Amino acid sequence: MKQIVVCFDLDGTLVDQNGGIHPNDKTLLTAGSPSIMFIGCTGRSLESTRKTLRKNGLFLEEKIPIPLVLLNGTLVYGKNEEFLDYTSFSQETQGVLIERAKNQKEITFLFLTQEKTYVLGENQFGRELIKKYEFNPLPFDELRSDTAVSKVMCISQNAGILNEFKIENNKDAFEQEFSMPTILEITPFGRNKGEGIRQLLKEYSLENAQVRAAGDGGNDLSMIPVADVFFAPVSAPSDIKKFAAEVVDVRNSGLLSEMIKWQDQGKCENN
């Protein structure tokens, strides 16, 4: 049987709006299978990911056993949280992003490193999302100029302001994608979830495996060129669902079982 690699986004995909994971998905993640490798792919940090999994009763007393693509591909862990790679902005690019962020009054910014998160311009809406995604940020003034930042989250209720901020930036220096209409995520150029998956496939000699991926945001679309098939939850925006070979109502039987039982119909049309 051909090895199957199942890659999934967390928030809005595996994890519902209330922070819950379907019981069937929890069973599959804990049971394991020699013919299936799960890869969690998220914009979250390791700490944030652990909190949500443990809140759902997963991996309470152990390291996370499945490989992880974190911070939108800038931080990659193998099985059991084995550190594999971390990519940060150049000091020049990081400085430009920080200066532009300081001039914004209606956006909450999270500057994420391998282990810590720093907040700038915190407001009520920003605080709500920080709490929802279980970050524990430090004050921005504790961020040293030589600290290696790998991701910037820009949070605002006003999507127009986020779009204006995106248009101002140099696309050759970094990548920018919306994970949801109120969150713009910025990472170093060439680093995204798809690249993180490629790295893990090589690490585990799974280049010939069948890859199945699922996500609900613009930052998940980089998984499509790596995948044989792309799934989207029924709650995903229409501009994401149009890329999906199958739309899954996770409330029924969960996400992962639907991805596993899918019958091979060839590569994604949008490779």
Side-chain angles (χ1 to χ4, degrees), residues 243-262:
F243 291 100
E246 185 171 331
V247 175
V248 180
D249 191 338
V250 180
R251 296 168 298 181
N252 293 334
S253 57
L255 171 74
L256 302 179
S257 60
E258 295 299 315
M259 296 178 71
I260 291 169
K261 71 182 184 183
W262 184 84

Side-chain angles (χ1 to χ4, degrees), residues 179-243:
S179 57
M180 57 188 297
T182 54
I183 301 179
L184 174 65
E185 308 202 4
I186 306 174
T187 55
F189 184 75
R191 295 307 305 182
N192 51 54
K193 292 184 180 184
E195 288 305 310
I197 293 170
R198 286 190 179 93
Q199 186 170 352
L200 286 168
L201 294 177
K202 183 176 181 180
E203 175 71 21
Y204 291 105
S205 300
L206 290 172
E207 293 95 333
N208 295 320
Q210 185 178 93
V211 180
R212 304 176 182 185
D216 73 327
N219 62 328
D220 296 314
L221 298 182
S222 64
M223 296 192 283
I224 290 178
V226 193
D228 293 271
V229 59
F230 182 72
F231 298 78
V234 69
S235 57
S238 58
D239 61 338
I240 302 299
K241 287 193 283 192
K242 71 181 181 182
F243 291 100

